[in-house]
């Protein structure tokens, strides 16, 4: 057993030594390959660092909402006799839109008028009676002074006069009561004629939805139609915490929609929610958009661009030139004489989808825009010929240096 253990140890030692020798050879060959690879020039594309203006623009999506929306509904129960509007119809404040069956309410008005007439007749009767009672009281008081009428007769005449005075007050109060009853009946009758409620807004109002048909039995507050004010529309977007501090009321926004490709609409930020929702970490932002030509409709999906900042005459490079090495972001600057590149870490300013602003250090010349994934600091490169380089710069020049302004459409507002 002892001899077997010694043999096993010798075999394992031999395997370990052989493995280490193989690892050393592979490692040396890999290092040699890397050195060889570093010495191989890499074909790249380049672009010049140039002075330009650059914009920081936020892109958002949202939906259109009417400036105001309300439901037209009856205040009383009844059968819908007439419905005078349909979806898409324009309406005005105070316009009649529906009529309920009003026979019962009309009859209540007639009854209230009759009761008021009876109360007024009763008042006239009481006035006549009190005049007689007053004259009788005055006559009895004069007779009492002459010792013709007794004291009890005077008391009876005075009591009757005061009684008639009280009855006159009751009759007068009944007049006020019957007038109020008539007024209430007339108001209920007016509720049978349903109109667009008046408001301070004088916008363009349309019927958005129709909920019932003629002949339907309606309870109080049953929706009949919805009225939308679409003279102006509200775009609602939701902004994450990173962009929230950049948005201010009064900022201009450019709105586009798939319904009108190529066209843009101008709006302005009017309200910003003071809180971010805990679940989504987003804040509601409202943008007012004029809709004079009535192209935009509530419910449309829209895209919104809001410009946060703009820097003029700054150093910019194509976004494709940015690269990370050893945890630092920078660019590979071309040394055209030695045909080599240097990696320079940079501090970025505004970055949009096309270009990036370089705050520091100040860099001039050309930077690598394609092929930098194969480069390290000090690598040799193969530059494109002058003709193709100029062609590449020409293509790059087609980009909008202001950050992709999408307002080249008809500019409807």
């Amino acid at each position: 057993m002892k001899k077997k253990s010694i043999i096993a140890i010798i075999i394992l030692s031999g395997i370990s030594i052989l493995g280490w020798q193989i690892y050393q050879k592979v490692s040396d060959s890999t290092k040699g390959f890397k050195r060889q690879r570093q010495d191989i020039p890499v074909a790249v594309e380049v672009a010049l660092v140039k002075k330009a203006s650059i914009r920081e623009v936020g892109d958002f999506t949202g939906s259109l909402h009417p400036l105001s929306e309300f439901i037209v509904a009856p205040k009383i129960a009844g059968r819908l006799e007439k419905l005078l509007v349909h979806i898409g119809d324009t309406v005005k404040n105070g316009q009649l839109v529906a009529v309920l069956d009003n026979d019962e309410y009309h009859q209540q008005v007639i009854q209230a008028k009759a009761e008021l007439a009876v109360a007024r007749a009763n008042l006239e009767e009481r006035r006549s009676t009190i005049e007689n009672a007053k004259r009788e009281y005055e006559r009895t008081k004069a007779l009492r002074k002459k010792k013709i009428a007794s004291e009890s007769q005077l008391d009876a005449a005075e009591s009757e006069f005061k009684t008639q005075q009280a009855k006159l007050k009751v009759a007068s109060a009944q007049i006020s009561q019957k007038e109020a009853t008539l007024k209430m009946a007339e108001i209920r009758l007016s509720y049978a004629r349903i109109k667009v409620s008046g408001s301070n807004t004088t916008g363009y109002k349309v019927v958005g939805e129709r909920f019932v048909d003629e002949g339907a039995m309606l309870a109080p507050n049953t929706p009949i139609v919805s009225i939308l004010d679409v003279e102006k529309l509200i775009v609602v977007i939701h902004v994450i915490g990173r962009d929230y501090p950049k948005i201010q009321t009064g900022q201009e926004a450019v709105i586009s929609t798939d319904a009108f490709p190529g066209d843009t609409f101008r709006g302005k930020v009017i309200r910003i929610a003071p809180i971010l929702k805990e679940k989504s970490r987003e804040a509601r932002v409202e943008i007012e958009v004029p809709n004079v030509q009535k192209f935009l409709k509530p419910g449309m999906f829209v895209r919104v661009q809001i410009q946060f900042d703009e820097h003029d005459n700054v150093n910019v490079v194509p976004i494709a030139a940015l690269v990370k090495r050893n945890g630092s972001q920078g660019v590979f600057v071309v040394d055209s004489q030695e045909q080599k590149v240097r990696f320079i870490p940079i501090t970025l300013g505004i970055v949009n989808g096309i270009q990036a602003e370089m705050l520091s250090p100040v860099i001039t010349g050309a930077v690598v825009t394609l092929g930098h994934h194969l480069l390290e600091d000090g690598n040799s490169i193969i530059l494109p010929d002058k003709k193709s380089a100029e062609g590449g710069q020409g293509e790059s020049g087609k980009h909008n240096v202001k950050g992709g302004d999408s307002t080249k459409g008809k500019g409807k507002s």
Side-chain angles (χ1 to χ4, degrees):
M1 290 295 293
K2 201 170 185 180
K3 193 179 289 185
K4 287 181 180 180
S5 299
I6 294 172
I7 293 171
I9 292 171
I10 293 172
I11 292 173
L12 289 173
S13 299
I15 293 173
S16 299
I17 293 170
L18 180 62
W20 175 254
Q21 291 175 346
I22 293 172
Y23 171 76
Q24 287 288 91
K25 290 181 179 180
V26 171
S27 178
D28 291 342
S29 63
T30 303
K31 290 179 180 178
F33 175 75
K34 286 184 177 178
R35 285 194 298 268
Q36 184 180 4
R37 182 180 175 185
Q38 287 177 354
D39 293 337
I40 298 175
V42 178
V44 296
E45 289 187 6
V46 300
L48 292 175
V49 178
K50 50 187 177 181
K51 294 282 188 179
S53 296
I54 187 170
R55 300 191 309 165
E56 182 181 12
V57 177
D59 293 310
F60 308 94
T61 58
S63 298
L64 287 173
H65 298 263
L67 185 63
S68 65
E69 178 179 4
F70 59 91
I71 301 297
V72 175
K75 295 182 179 180
I76 57 175
R79 182 178 61 84
L80 183 58
E81 192 171 85
K82 292 181 182 179
L83 185 54
L84 306 176
V85 294
H86 296 272
I87 57 172
D89 289 352
T90 59
V91 294
K92 299 179 179 179
N93 291 339
Q95 179 176 333
L96 183 66
V97 297
V99 177
L100 299 181
D101 180 11
N102 62 0
D103 290 345
E104 179 182 352
Y105 302 105
H106 184 66
Q107 191 61 38
Q108 289 176 358
V109 170
I110 293 175
Q111 181 180 351
K113 286 181 178 179
E115 291 176 353
L116 178 60
V118 171
R120 285 173 175 167
N122 187 43
L123 179 63
E124 290 300 320
E125 180 183 2
R126 292 301 173 191
R127 284 174 178 168
S128 176
T129 303
I130 198 172
E131 287 296 327
N132 293 332
K134 182 179 181 180
R135 286 195 298 268
E136 180 64 23
Y137 172 63
E138 294 294 338
R139 188 180 68 83
T140 304
K141 187 163 42 169
L143 292 174
R144 177 59 185 160
K145 286 181 179 181
K146 295 178 181 181
K147 305 295 185 179
I148 298 174
S150 64
E151 188 71 27
S152 61
Q153 288 176 325
L154 179 60
D155 291 341
E158 183 180 8
S159 175
E160 179 64 17
F161 176 58
K162 290 180 178 179
T163 300
Q164 294 304 324
Q165 281 184 321
K167 288 183 177 180
L168 180 63
K169 290 180 180 180
V170 171
S172 180
Q174 286 177 339
I175 292 291
S176 299
Q177 181 185 27
K178 297 304 179 183
E179 286 176 343
T181 301
L182 175 60
K183 185 66 175 177
M184 184 64 68
E186 289 174 340
I187 290 174
R188 283 198 296 267
L189 178 61
S190 70
Y191 287 162
R193 296 174 62 82
I194 303 166
K195 301 178 180 180
V196 177
S197 60
S199 63
N200 294 329
T201 61
T202 58
Y204 182 81
K205 294 184 175 65
V206 295
V207 178
E209 292 183 85
R210 173 172 161 167
F211 303 106
V212 294
D213 295 318
E214 291 181 354
M217 291 298 300
L218 305 180
N221 299 320
T222 301
I224 298 177
V225 294
S226 65
I227 305 297
L228 314 177
D229 187 345
V230 293
E231 185 75 25
K232 296 178 181 178
L233 294 178
I234 301 297
V235 178
V236 176
I237 61 175
H238 293 86
V239 178
I240 61 176
R242 180 186 62 194
D243 295 328
Y244 183 78
K246 302 175 184 177
I247 295 183
Q248 305 293 329
T249 54
Q251 283 178 326
E252 289 194 356
V254 179
I255 296 99
S256 60
T257 176
D258 292 338
F260 304 101
D263 295 339
T264 57
F265 306 83
R266 297 282 179 171
K268 193 168 285 188
V269 176
I270 58 170
R271 281 181 286 271
I272 302 172
I275 60 171
L276 279 72
K277 294 292 185 180
E278 187 174 351
K279 291 184 178 179
S280 62
R281 305 299 179 186
E282 294 178 330
R284 178 186 174 105
V285 175
E286 296 184 1
I287 302 166
E288 186 178 84
V289 185
N291 191 31
V292 178
Q293 294 176 297
K294 314 301 181 296
F295 287 136
L296 299 175
K297 306 298 179 185
M300 281 184 173
F301 175 82
V302 293
R303 297 176 182 84
V304 180
Q305 286 190 329
I306 300 176
Q307 179 176 317
F308 297 145
D309 200 359
E310 182 174 9
H311 294 168
D312 296 324
N313 197 31
V314 295
N315 287 330
V316 297
V317 293
I319 194 74
L322 300 180
V323 65
K324 277 191 175 182
R325 289 292 184 272
N326 300 322
S328 298
Q329 191 162 42
V331 293
F332 282 105
V333 180
V334 176
D335 186 340
S336 57
Q337 292 183 351
E338 296 186 7
Q339 299 282 295
K340 289 187 176 183
V341 294
R342 290 181 300 117
F343 177 75
I344 299 180
I346 61 173
T347 302
L348 294 175
I350 294 176
V351 178
N352 57 37
I354 300 173
Q355 294 178 321
E357 175 190 6
M358 296 189 300
L359 296 177
S360 64
V362 177
I363 296 175
T364 59
V367 294
V368 177
T369 58
L370 184 63
H372 42 49
H373 63 289
L374 300 173
L375 296 177
E376 295 293 340
D377 187 43
N379 279 173
S380 298
I381 58 171
I382 300 173
L383 292 173
D385 56 41
K386 186 176 181 181
K387 182 177 180 181
S388 62
E390 288 176 353
Q393 292 173 12
E395 290 297 322
S396 176
K398 291 181 182 178
H399 292 300
N400 186 344
V401 299
K402 290 191 176 182
D405 191 352
S406 63
T407 62
K408 293 182 181 179
K410 298 175 183 177
K412 295 188 178 83
S413 61

